Amino acid sequence: MKPIFSLLLLFFFMVGCKPTSAIITSKEEAVKRGIYKAPANIKIAAKNNAEPKSVAAKIEPKKATITGNRINDKNDDDLVINVDDSSYLVKQLINAASEQLGAHYKSGGTTPDGFDCSGLMYSTFKKFDITLPRSSVDMAKIGRKLNEDDIRKGDLIFFKTNGRSVINHVGMVTEINDEEIKFIHSSTQKGVIISSTKEPYYGRTFTQANRILE
C-alpha cells in the first residue's frame, strides 16, 4: 500500500510543478494574463489619486491663437501642450498607436481601414482631444524642435524621403536605445509598423523631432 501511496504523491507533485511559459507572443495573450489593457478611458490620471482630468488640460499660446484644442497652423512653431502628467499621456498615445499595428497604408486615411503617416498621428492624438495639423510638413512646424540627444518617447519624428527637399513623413518615437530611435508610423510598403533609425533608409532621411507634450 505504501508504494502505491508514494507513487500517487509523486504524480501529483510532478503535475503541480509543471512549468508554464512566461513568454507572451501576442497582444491577445497579454490581455488574457492581465498585463495589457486597451486604453478604453481616455482620461489622464491626476496626481495624488485625485479625480481624473482631461488630457488636453492646458495649452500655452505664445504666438498663435488657440481655438478649443486646435493648434493653429500659423506662427505656432514654438507651441506646446502642457499636461499634469505627460509621461502617462505618452504611454497612452503609444498604446493607442500600437493598437493599429498591421493596419494597411492608405493615402489620406485616418481610420483602421488604412492610414497614411500623418493620418496615424492625427487620429492617435485626436483620441485624446488634441488636434494636430493634418499634414506631416505642418506638424513639423508645431511644438519644440529638439536636439537629437534630447529626443524621448512620444516625440514626433520627421523625415524627408524619396530625395524630396521638404518633410513628407512622420512617426512617433516609441523607444530610445543609445543612438537608436524606434518609432511607430504608417509606411507605404508595410502599413503601420515600428521602424528604427538604425535602418539605413530612415537613418539617412531623418530630419528632425518635435516635442508636442511638456
Side-chain angles (χ1 to χ4, degrees), residues 154-204:
D155 293 333
L156 295 183
I157 185 169
F158 299 93
F159 303 85
K160 294 178 181 177
T161 62
N162 300 326
R164 298 181 184 181
S165 59
V166 296
I167 287 170
N168 67 325
H169 192 65
V170 61
M172 180 167 55
V173 176
T174 59
E175 190 176 344
I176 305 288
N177 291 317
D178 297 325
E179 296 180 357
E180 179 183 25
I181 302 170
K182 293 183 179 180
F183 58 97
I184 189 168
H185 64 128
S186 183
S187 70
T188 54
Q189 298 293 324
K190 298 180 180 179
V192 180
I193 56 173
I194 292 177
S195 299
S196 166
T197 53
K198 286 290 187 181
E199 298 172 44
Y201 178 74
Y202 293 113
R204 184 176 66 253

Side-chain angles (χ1 to χ4, degrees), residues 1 15 41 53 70 100 132 134 192:
M1 191 67 178
V15 171
N41 184 358
K53 296 183 179 180
R70 171 70 183 174
Q100 308 305 331
L132 299 180
R134 182 57 186 85
V192 180

Side-chain angles (χ1 to χ4, degrees), residues 27 35-45 55 83-101 124-125 127-128 130 152-155 172-175 184 194 213-214:
K27 183 176 66 181
I35 295 172
Y36 172 91
K37 184 177 181 181
N41 184 358
I42 55 172
K43 296 289 185 180
I44 184 168
V55 164
V83 295
D84 290 339
D85 191 346
S86 63
S87 63
Y88 180 84
L89 176 53
V90 164
K91 290 177 183 177
Q92 297 306 305
L93 286 166
I94 293 173
N95 200 20
S98 297
E99 282 285 307
Q100 308 305 331
L101 284 168
T124 298
F125 278 79
K127 288 180 180 178
F128 298 87
I130 300 171
R152 69 186 185 200
K153 294 179 182 180
D155 293 333
M172 180 167 55
V173 176
T174 59
E175 190 176 344
I184 189 168
I194 292 177
L213 305 172
E214 293 284 9

Side-chain angles (χ1 to χ4, degrees), residues 132-150:
L132 299 180
R134 182 57 186 85
S135 68
S136 57
V137 67
D138 285 333
M139 287 182 188
K141 297 174 184 176
I142 66 169
R144 177 163 63 88
K145 189 175 178 179
L146 304 168
N147 295 322
E148 193 166 345
D149 58 0
D150 191 34

Side-chain angles (χ1 to χ4, degrees), residues 2-14:
K2 281 188 177 181
I4 296 174
F5 182 73
S6 299
L7 287 172
L8 287 172
L9 283 177
L10 181 61
F11 172 78
F12 285 117
F13 176 79
M14 291 177 67

